C-alpha cells in the first residue's frame, strides 16, 4: 500500500510547494539578452560614411565637361571612399551587440580581422561627459596578432563623436595611424580596392554633421615615397543646397589647391591655384553649367585653351 | 368427567395455553426495518484543508449496505458535503418513518460519518456538530438498534467517556432470549489519533476495511453473514496493520456499546447475492487484493491456509494481486452480474513490484479547462515603461487541470503574445521601434467556491518566461531581445455559467530582473479577462 496521508497533515504537500517556490525564485535571477538603451547610445553615436558623405555635385563628366569639373567629381568620390573605408571599421558596432559591457564602456570583439588571417580586431567605445556636461563617445579600433599577448593591441582608428540628437549626426573627429601596424606586418594596403587606406600613413578628420551645411575636413599623408605627400579635403555643403570643396595637394614638382563651388542646380566654378613649384601663383578657372558643360575655361599657362566668358560662371572669382 | 378430572383438564389446557402464548411471544418479533444515514463531508471549515475521499467513503459504504445489508435504497440517504441542519433534517425524516411503522416493524438505524473532526466537533462544512450532541441525538432515536460509525480524526472522543476501549473485538451476550437492542458507537481512531486515508484505496483505511469486511472477508464464523462484531474485529486489525508504519502513526479504532438482547447484530448477508469472488481452499494463503479499473483496491480477501474465502464484490472487471516476498502474483478476473467466480490462482502470473496494478486514484473530480483571453501588461515604474519595456496588449490561451493534485488546486499552462509601438528617446537620437512580447507561464492556484459554486475566487503563484524583443525602424540598428524567468502571484474571480463555461477576471503581479545595462529589479502587472470551457 502507498503511505497513508493524514486527513489533517499536509506537510508533504507544503514541502513540495515550498521547493517549487524556491526553484521559481532561483530562476528569477536568470535573464539574458542584449536589450540595452546604453548600447543604442553607443551604436548611434558613431558616424557612418553615409552621414558624412559629400553629395554628388552634378551629372557624370562628359566630353563637354571642363577638366576641373571632372577633378572635383573625382576628389569628391575619393573623399567619400576614404571616409567610408575608415568608418566601415565601425560597422560591427552598429549591427551587432557588444561582446562586453562595463559601466560607460562597450567592447566589440575580439573578432577575426578581415583580409588578415592571424590577426584579431576589436572596437572599444567609452562614454565621456565633460565638465560642462557635454556628452561624447570616444572610440578606437585596434588590431593584434593572434599570437601576441593580450595587451599588445595596436590602434588603427581613434576618434570621438559628440551626438547632436539625431541619428549619427553631431560633431566629431577621427584619426588613422598605420605606421605601427605596417611595422608589425599588418596588410594595410588592398590592391583590389584602390580607394581604401592604401598608401596612407596618417589621416585625420573632423566633421560637423549636427546641422546644415555639413562640414568635413580630411587631412591625409601618404607613406614615404608615395606622391602626393599630403592631401587635404575641405567640404562644406548639403544635399540639394550646393557646396564648396577645397582640395589641396602637397606634391612634387608642384603643389596646388583646387577650390570648387557649385549651386543647388549643379552649375559651378573651380579655381585651381599652383601653390608651389613651377608656375606657383598661377590660377586657372573652369566654370560649368547645370549640365556639366563648360561655360568658361581659362588657363594662364595655355591661353589657347581659354574659352567662353567669365560672366557665364555661376560664381565670381575668389 | 368428574370435577377433579375437569379441573385437571382445565389446568392442562391452561398450561398449554400459557406455553403456546409464551411460544408465540418468544418467536413473533416484528421484522427488522433497516435504515442508514450516511454522510461524507470533504469540507471542514476555514481552518481545515479539504479532504479527498470522505464523500467517496460514504458512497461506498452505502453501496454495500444497499446491496448486501438489507437496506433499501430509499431508506439510505446519502448526504454529500451537507450541513448539520441538513443532517438533522434527514435524521428527523427517517425517524418519522420509523414512528409511522412502529408496531409493524422494528427499526435499526446506522449513522455513518466520514469527514473532519476537530476539538470535539464533527465538521460539516462551515457547521459543527459536537460529539456529545450526536451521542445524545442517537440515543433519543426511536430505532431499537442504533449504530453510529464515525470515521474522522480523534473520533474516539465519542467513546472515551463511556469507558471505550480501542480493543480488537467486543463480545455480545448471546444468552439473552430477546433480540439485541441498544446503541453501538464505532470510531475509526482514538481520541488522540488522526484518521488517515490512502490514494491507493481512494478512501480512508478504516472505511475501506469496513467495506471489505461487510463484503464477506470478516466472516470468521463462516455462516455467510457478517456481524457488527466481526466487522469491527476485522476493520480494527487491518487498520492498525496498515497504519502502523505511517507518518501519523498507528490508528486504533474504538467502540462502545450499550446493548441488551440476544445475538450479534448482523450487518450484511453476503451470500444471498451469489455474486463475487470465491477463493477455494487449495489456493495459496495470503491477502488477495481486488483492484478496480481506477487502479484502487476495491476489496481485500485474507485467505488462511486450507480455508476457503468468499467476498461479495460487485460485478465487474478486476485485476487481482497477491504479494509475495520477492514478487507479485497478478491477473485479471471478470465477474458477471449474478455470478460467483472461483479464483484459479494458477492462472495468475508473476510480476515485478514495479508492475503493481495498484496505481492509486487521482481525485475523481479531475477537470480540464481550455480558455482564451486578452489583457494588458505594464511595468510599475514610468522610466521602465517609457524607455525600456512599453505597455503591451496580450492575447493568448490557457490549458488548466483542476483536481489533479487536490480538488481545489488548479495547475495551468498559458501562452500569450502581444506587440506595441513606442519611441525611444536618447541623447543621440529619437528612435521609433516595434516591441513584441511572447510569454508563457505555469501557474498553481487554490480555488474557493462560494454559494452554489457559481462564483469562484482563486489565488496562487505563477512562473513565467518572457521573451521580449524590439526592432528599430532604422534598419541599420540591430534588433534587441531579452528573455527572463519571472515569478509572480495571481488572483482572480470566475463566474461559472452553465454548460462548463466560465468567465474569469485575473490579476497578476510579477517580478523581473533586468541585467543588461545594470541589475534592476522590475515589477509588472497584468490584468485580463478570459473565457474558458471545462470538461
Amino acid at each position: 500500500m502507498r503511505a497513508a496521508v493524514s486527513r489533517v497533515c499536509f506537510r508533504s504537500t507544503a514541502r513540495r510547494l515550498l521547493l517549487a517556490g524556491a526553484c521559481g525564485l532561483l530562476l528569477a535571477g536568470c535573464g539574458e539578452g542584449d536589450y540595452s538603451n546604453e548600447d543604442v547610445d553607443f551604436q548611434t553615436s558613431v558616424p557612418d560614411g553615409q552621414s558624412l558623405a559629400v553629395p554628388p555635385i552634378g551629372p557624370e563628366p562628359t566630353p563637354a565637361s571642363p577638366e576641373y569639373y571632372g577633378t572635383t567629381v573625382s576628389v569628391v568620390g575619393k573623399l567619400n571612399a576614404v571616409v567610408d573605408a575608415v568608418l566601415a571599421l565601425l560597422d560591427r558596432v552598429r549591427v551587432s551587440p557588444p561582446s562586453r559591457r562595463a559601466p560607460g564602456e562597450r567592447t566589440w570583439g575580439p573578432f577575426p580581422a578581415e583580409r588578415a588571417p592571424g590577426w584579431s580586431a576589436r572596437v572599444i567605445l567609452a562614454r565621456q561627459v565633460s565638465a560642462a556636461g557635454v556628452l561624447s563617445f570616444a572610440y578606437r579600433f585596434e588590431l593584434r596578432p593572434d599570437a601576441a599577448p593580450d595587451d599588445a593591441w595596436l590602434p588603427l582608428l581613434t576618434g570621438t563623436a559628440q551626438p547632436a540628437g539625431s541619428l549619427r549626426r553631431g560633431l566629431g573627429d577621427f584619426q588613422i595611424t598605420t605606421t605601427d601596424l605596417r611595422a608589425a606586418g599588418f596588410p594595410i594596403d588592398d590592391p583590389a580596392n584602390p580607394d581604401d587606406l592604401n598608401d596612407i600613413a596618417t589621416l585625420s578628420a573632423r566633421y560637423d554633421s549636427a546641422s546644415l551645411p555639413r562640414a568635413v575636413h580630411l587631412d591625409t599623408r601618404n607613406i614615404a615615397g608615395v606622391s602626393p605627400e599630403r592631401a587635404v579635403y575641405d567640404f562644406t555643403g548639403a544635399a540639394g543646397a550646393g557646396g564648396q570643396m577645397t582640395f589641396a595637394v602637397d606634391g612634387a614638382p608642384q603643389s596646388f589647391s583646387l577650390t570648387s563651388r557649385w549651386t543647388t542646380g549643379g552649375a559651378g566654378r573651380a579655381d585651381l591655384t599652383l601653390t608651389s613649384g613651377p608656375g606657383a601663383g598661377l590660377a586657372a578657372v573652369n566654370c560649368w553649367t547645370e549640365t556639366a558643360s563648360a561655360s568658361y575655361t581659362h588657363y594662364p599657362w595655355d591661353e589657347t585653351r581659354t574659352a567662353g566668358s567669365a560672366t557665364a560662371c555661376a560664381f565670381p572669382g575668389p | 368427567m368428574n370435577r377433579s378430572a375437569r379441573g385437571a383438564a382445565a389446568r392442562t389446557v391452561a398450561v398449554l395455553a400459557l406455553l403456546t402464548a409464551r411460544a408465540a411471544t418468544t418467536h413473533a418479533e416484528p421484522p427488522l426495518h433497516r435504515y442508514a444515514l450516511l454522510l461524507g463531508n470533504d469540507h471542514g471549515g476555514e481552518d481545515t484543508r479539504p479532504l479527498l475521499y470522505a464523500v467517496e467513503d460514504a458512497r461506498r459504504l452505502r453501496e454495500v449496505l444497499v446491496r448486501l445489508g438489507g437496506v433499501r435504497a430509499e431508506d439510505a440517504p446519502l448526504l454529500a458535503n451537507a450541513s448539520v441542519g441538513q443532517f438533522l433534517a434527514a435524521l428527523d425524516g427517517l425517524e418519522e418513518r420509523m414512528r409511522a411503522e412502529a408496531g409493524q416493524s422494528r427499526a435499526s438505524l446506522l449513522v455513518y460519518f466520514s469527514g473532519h473532526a476537530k476539538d470535539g466537533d464533527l465538521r460539516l462544512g462551515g457547521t459543527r456538530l459536537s460529539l456529545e450532541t450526536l451521542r445524545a441525538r442517537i440515543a433519543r432515536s426511536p430505532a431499537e438498534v442504533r449504530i453510529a460509525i464515525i470515521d474522522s480524526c480523534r473520533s474516539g472522543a465519542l467513546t472515551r467517556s463511556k469507558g471505550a476501549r480501542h480493543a480488537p473485538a467486543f463480545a455480545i451476550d448471546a444468552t439473552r432470549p430477546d433480540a439485541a437492542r441498544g446503541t453501538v458507537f464505532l470510531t475509526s481512531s482514538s481520541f488522540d489519533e488522526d484518521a488517515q486515508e490512502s490514494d491507493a484505496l481512494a478512501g480512508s483505511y478504516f472505511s475501506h476495511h469496513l467495506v471489505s469486511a461487510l463484503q464477506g472477508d470478516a466472516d470468521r464464523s463462516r455462516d455467510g453473514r457478517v456481524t457488527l462484531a466481526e466487522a469491527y474485529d476485522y476493520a480494527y486489525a487491518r487498520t492498525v496493520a496498515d497504519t502502523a508504519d505511517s507518518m501519523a502513526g498507528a490508528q486504533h479504532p474504538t467502540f462502545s456499546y450499550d446493548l441488551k438482547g440476544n445475538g450479534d447484530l448482523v450487518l450484511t448477508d453476503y451470500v444471498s447475492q451469489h455474486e463475487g469472488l470465491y477463493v477455494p481452499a487449495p489456493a495459496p494463503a495470503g491477502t488477495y487484493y481486488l483492484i478496480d479499473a481506477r487502479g484502487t483496491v476495491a476489496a481485500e480477501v485474507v485467505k488462511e491456509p486450507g480455508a476457503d474465502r468468499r467476498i461479495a464484490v460487485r460485478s465487474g472487471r478486476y485485476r487481482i494481486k497477491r504479494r509475495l516476498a520477492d514478487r507479485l502474483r497478478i491477473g485479471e478476473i471478470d465477474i458477471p452480474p449474478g455470478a460467483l467466480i472461483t479464483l484459479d490462482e494458477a492462472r495468475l502470473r508473476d510480476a515485478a513490484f514495479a508492475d503493481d496494478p495498484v496505481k492509486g486514484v487521482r481525485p475523481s473530480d479531475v477537470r480540464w479547462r481550455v480558455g482564451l483571453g486578452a489583457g494588458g501588461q505594464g511595468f510599475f515604474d514610468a522610466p521602465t515603461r517609457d524607455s525600456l519595456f512599453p505597455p503591451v496588449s496580450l492575447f493568448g490561451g490557457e490549458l488548466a487541470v483542476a483536481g489533479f493534485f487536490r480538488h481545489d488546486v488548479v495547475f495551468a499552462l498559458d501562452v500569450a503574445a502581444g506587440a506595441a509601438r513606442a519611441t525611444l528617446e536618447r541623447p543621440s537620437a529619437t528612435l521609433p521601434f516595434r516591441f513584441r512580447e511572447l510569454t508563457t507561464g505555469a501557474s498553481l492556484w487554490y480555488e474557493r467556491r462560494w454559494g452554489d459554486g457559481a462564483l469562484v475566487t482563486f489565488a496562487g503563484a505563477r512562473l513565467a518566461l518572457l521573451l521580449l524583443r524590439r526592432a528599430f525602424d532604422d534598419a541599420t540598428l540591430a534588433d534587441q531581445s531579452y528573455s527572463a524567468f519571472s515569478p509572480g502571484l495571481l488572483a482572480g474571480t470566475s463566474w461559472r455559467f452553465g454548460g462548463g463555461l466560465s468567465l474569469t477576471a485575473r490579476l497578476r503581479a510579477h517580478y523581473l530582473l533586468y541585467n543588461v545595462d545594470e541589475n534592476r529589479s522590475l515589477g509588472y502587472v497584468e490584468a485580463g479577462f478570459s473565457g474558458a470551457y471545462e470538461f
Side-chain angles (χ1 to χ4, degrees), chain A residues 2 4-8 10 17 27 31-37 40-41 44 94-95 106 165-168, chain B residues 49 57 151 194-197 205 387-388 406 426 428 431 444 470 474 476 478 480-481 483 514-515 517:
Chain A
R2 290 173 56 178
V5 175
S6 166
R7 285 182 156 177
V8 176
F10 293 90
L17 287 176
L27 287 173
E32 188 174 312
D34 56 14
Y35 200 112
S36 167
N37 289 341
V40 171
D41 292 343
T44 56
R94 284 181 282 274
V95 301
R106 297 291 187 270
S166 181
L167 194 62
R168 301 194 187 88
Chain B
R49 307 294 288 274
D57 288 339
D151 186 353
D194 289 345
Q196 303 178 57
E197 53 188 16
Y205 280 95
S387 68
L388 206 60
R406 288 166 50 89
R426 302 302 296 171
S428 55
L431 302 166
L444 193 70
R470 67 180 171 187
D474 186 325
T476 61
Q480 295 181 330
S481 62
S483 60
Y514 170 77
N515 61 4
D517 289 338

Side-chain angles (χ1 to χ4, degrees), chain B residues 190-210:
Chain B
S190 295
F191 71 94
D192 58 351
E193 293 173 342
D194 289 345
Q196 303 178 57
E197 53 188 16
S198 164
D199 288 336
L201 305 177
S204 81
Y205 280 95
F206 176 75
S207 292
H208 164 77
H209 291 307
L210 184 62

Side-chain angles (χ1 to χ4, degrees), chain B residues 202-238:
Chain B
S204 81
Y205 280 95
F206 176 75
S207 292
H208 164 77
H209 291 307
L210 184 62
V211 167
S212 280
L214 296 178
Q215 292 181 106
D217 204 39
D219 181 19
R220 293 304 163 198
S221 64
R222 305 180 63 75
D223 61 354
R225 299 181 299 175
V226 177
T227 66
L228 180 62
E230 288 175 324
Y232 176 80
D233 174 18
Y234 179 94
Y236 177 92
R238 302 293 297 170

Side-chain angles (χ1 to χ4, degrees), chain A residues 122-142:
Chain A
R122 70 179 184 183
V123 181
I124 299 176
L125 269 75
R127 178 200 299 266
Q128 300 172 327
V129 179
S130 71
V134 176
L135 174 67
S136 65
F137 296 86
Y139 52 89
R140 59 183 191 273
F141 181 97
E142 300 174 329

Side-chain angles (χ1 to χ4, degrees), chain A residues 61-77:
Chain A
T62 68
S65 300
E67 177 186 353
Y68 298 156
Y69 176 80
T71 303
T72 302
V73 171
S74 176
V75 167
V76 166

